[in-house]
Amino acid sequence: MTSKEIREVFLSFFRDKSHHIVPSAPVVVKDDPTLMFTNAGMNQFKEVFLGEVAAKYSRVTDTQRCLRVSGKHNDLEEVGIDTYHHTLFEMLGNWSFGDYFKKEAISWAWELLTEVYKLDKDRLYVTIFEGDGQEGLERDTEAYGLWKSHVPEDRILLGNKKDNFWEMGETGPCGPCSEIHYDMRTAEERSAVRGQDLVNADDP
């Protein structure tokens, strides 16, 4: 599939799930003095997350052009070192404002990847937040339980706060997150090293 086809299929999938399609925000942020460039899909919804404005729609989908810049998660330094951090990138997003939550998000993500994009289920691994005792954060057992209906338990992996706890700043919206990883290696490589051992281990 071309990038255009991937984008169109994504937006169409979530439109059929009653999401309103919104355009990408400008890469250069116009009305927020705290942010020079758009660096995440959530940027254009910042005021909604902070409770400063009401959401126009309870379900939204978009494709957002982003510029990798320094910040709390400074992965600008990774550009050019590995094969998967790029300066300019695009985020495809589906957003719920007071509507659905983890159950639907997980189910639809799996449906989109395996039934629509036709990715091999046996090459997919998922991660959930393992918890952080020092900060009083519990393991995301809800996500773990939901993933079990889609993925064998040996491919549901635990991730630390760096990898599986989403936050953009010292204050503001935050919480545990899941990621889905795809094993692109050859059959020979996969038989030599388990995919579980390479997730979140800086392996391309």
Side-chain angles (χ1 to χ4, degrees), residues 81-85 181-185 189 198-204:
I81 296 174
D82 59 35
T83 60
Y84 47 94
H85 282 85
H181 298 255
Y182 184 76
D183 190 344
M184 299 175 61
R185 298 174 300 149
E189 291 171 325
L198 300 178
V199 172
N200 284 337
D202 293 328
D203 188 282

Side-chain angles (χ1 to χ4, degrees), residues 54-84:
K56 292 181 181 178
Y57 308 97
S58 61
R59 296 182 180 187
V60 169
T61 187
D62 68 341
T63 171
Q64 178 62 55
R65 294 180 297 275
C66 301
L67 190 65
R68 196 177 300 279
V69 292
S70 60
K72 180 174 178 62
H73 302 290
N74 186 8
D75 46 11
L76 178 63
E77 297 173 353
E78 304 296 332
V79 173
I81 296 174
D82 59 35
T83 60
Y84 47 94

Side-chain angles (χ1 to χ4, degrees), residues 42 48 126:
M42 60 79 63
V48 177
V126 300

